[in-house]
Amino acid sequence: MPRPIRARLDWSALRHNHGVARRHAGKANIWSVVKADAYGHGLLPAARALMGATDGFALVELEGAMALRDAGINQPILLLEGFYQAEELPLFADLALVPAIHSMWQVDALVEARLPVRLPVYLKLNTGMNRLGFNPDEFATALARLDAADCVASLSLMTHFADADEERGIAEQLTAFRAVADGRRLPICVANSAALLRFEYSTGDWVRPGIMLYGSSPYPSVQSAAELDLRPVMTLESELIAVRELKAGDRIGYGGSFTAEEPMRIGIVACGYADGYPRHAPTGTPVLVAGRLTRTLGRVSMDKLCVDLSDLLPSVDVGAPVVLWGEGNPADDVATAAGTVAYELFCALAPRVPVIEVN
Ligand SMILES: *Cc1c(COP(=O)(O)O)cnc(C)c1O
């Protein structure tokens, strides 16, 4: 028998969440963001589940874009970091990929490229995140050079928000973007999940939701996924493989970071950090055992973690089902307890965990 851990992926939830994005997007088109192997969910099955519903796919990996084309996906594909070397441009032309151009060296490469077809291009503006994109003072130069380039079919303008999920919001960055974009009559694309859900005036012509498609809230401390009508796509589940009784004073796991204050019953779950469960999740991280929410105890090990069975029925024994995150135990709650975000939990799902696809 295989080890009882598995990740259950519910593609109907992915399509449902895309429908939520569609409602918020209004007339805007949707780039479904599928970078990082569709946030750990599997690029091809996720893309297949969405291809009938979405308008395009956005990612950062050229190999991923090739895999989408090989799988017969003909929709537009946006490469959010563009190309990394000029040598990739013929492949962009061949596969009709849309590069996001963020640096002058990329403009140079495009101007000099001899491509058999013209490419639609996204021009990225830096409005305050200070990672990628042209500053407003360089922007006009980049735009003019691309406008004159032989191999550019169309131009769209994009920027990325640093605080769409935070108190600061997007007003300042959107103002900086508008100062440059308004009056140019070019399509615009600015909203990630948080901006799409929180600031509907930011939708523009295309939106770029990622995390919401996978059923997590982009700002879980303010609104839960359920409140946003989002459903978990990934459920990481396992089983109790042992149950034991502790005496007062017994310690649990490496370093004995948890000590029983009174006699208690604990369960051992076949799931550890080598499965992608965060090692830094502290005692008290929520875990669903036999349909009841309880807590983890002590340190997470490579293959195992321990859970508190004190408040559960004595019938909860070896073989009882455990949900590490997903249905009944939101990934956002686990992530918050572990001091991270659901994005990181999903992306960390380890290759050794078997995947079961439903719907
Ligand atoms: C990852 C990414 C997104 C999607 O962000 P979410 O917070 O997952 O919605 C949108 N735009 C860019 C440029 C990205 O890199």
Side-chain angles (χ1 to χ4, degrees):
M1 283 298 280
R3 199 158 155 262
I5 191 167
R6 71 227 145 218
R8 195 156 42 78
L9 300 178
D10 180 352
W11 301 127
S12 69
L14 182 64
R15 285 186 292 268
H16 167 86
N17 298 335
H18 188 277
V20 175
R22 180 69 77 195
R23 281 210 303 280
H24 286 268
K27 291 202 184 84
N29 288 316
I30 299 178
W31 294 112
S32 289
V33 180
V34 290
K35 62 191 177 191
D37 204 25
Y39 292 45
H41 292 66
L43 174 62
L44 289 182
R48 282 199 190 98
L50 288 175
M51 65 188 275
T54 202
D55 304 300
F57 293 98
L59 72 179
V60 298
E61 303 89 351
L62 186 55
E63 317 83 276
M66 291 163 69
L68 291 176
R69 287 289 182 249
D70 280 345
I73 288 174
N74 295 322
Q75 284 156 303
I77 299 178
L78 171 64
L79 275 291
L80 293 163
E81 295 178 346
F83 48 91
Y84 304 98
Q85 288 168 335
E87 290 70 33
E88 295 163 22
L89 277 169
L91 198 54
F92 273 68
D94 201 31
L95 301 178
L97 307 179
V98 184
I101 302 299
H102 56 76
S103 295
M104 208 55 90
W105 74 263
Q106 291 176 314
V107 174
D108 295 339
L110 260 176
V111 167
E112 285 158 24
R114 304 246 180 284
L115 299 177
V117 294
R118 291 168 171 258
L119 295 180
V121 167
Y122 265 50
L123 187 54
K124 182 161 185 174
L125 187 66
N126 171 38
T127 53
M129 187 139 187
N130 289 313
R131 296 188 316 187
L132 296 182
F134 293 93
N135 288 338
D137 60 332
E138 314 161 305
F139 180 77
T141 310
L143 187 64
R145 295 191 60 208
L146 287 175
D147 226 8
D150 288 335
C151 54
V152 173
S154 64
L155 278 164
S156 304
L157 304 182
M158 73 180 283
T159 193
H160 194 49
F161 297 127
D163 299 288
D165 55 335
E166 306 271 347
E167 216 174 289
R168 188 184 279 263
I170 63 169
E172 231 175 282
Q173 281 191 258
L174 196 58
T175 302
F177 182 77
R178 290 229 168 101
V180 173
D182 278 2
R184 298 204 188 258
R185 297 172 176 239
L186 295 175
I188 66 163
C189 173
V190 296
N192 57 3
S193 298
L196 176 59
L197 291 167
R198 263 181 94 192
F199 308 106
E200 292 196 3
Y201 58 84
S202 77
T203 48
D205 300 287
W206 283 79
V207 294
R208 308 187 301 269
I211 193 67
M212 67 175 293
L213 300 179
Y214 307 100
S216 274
S217 169
Y219 35 84
S221 62
V222 181
Q223 264 183 310
S224 70
E227 285 165 338
L228 293 166
D229 188 25
L230 301 173
R231 300 180 188 160
V233 179
M234 179 193 296
T235 297
L236 181 62
E237 50 192 26
S238 187
E239 291 177 6
L240 296 185
I241 57 170
V243 168
R244 58 197 321 121
E245 306 282 345
L246 300 188
K247 308 182 298 297
D250 282 351
R251 307 182 322 143
I252 296 177
Y254 288 113
S257 71
F258 179 86
T259 305
E261 283 183 358
E262 49 192 55
M264 67 188 296
R265 204 161 164 261
I266 69 166
I268 318 301
V269 183
C271 175
Y273 61 79
D275 300 300
Y277 195 90
R279 183 177 175 279
H280 51 269
T283 288
T285 301
V287 57
L288 191 78
V289 179
R292 288 278 306 269
L293 272 179
T294 178
R295 57 176 183 151
T296 64
L297 298 172
R299 262 189 217 158
V300 174
S301 346
M302 184 181 283
D303 312 308
K304 285 173 271 303
L305 56 81
C306 302
V307 297
D308 190 351
L309 302 181
S310 307
D311 294 335
L312 277 71
L313 295 172
S315 59
V316 173
D317 211 330
V318 170
V322 176
V323 172
L324 286 314
W325 64 69
E327 250 167 68
N329 183 22
D332 288 326
D333 296 351
V334 177
T336 299
T340 184
V341 288
Y343 299 73
E344 191 181 14
L345 299 186
F346 298 151
C347 289
L349 183 73
R352 83 169 180 186
V353 177
V355 169
I356 298 173
E357 300 179 41
V358 297
N359 302 312

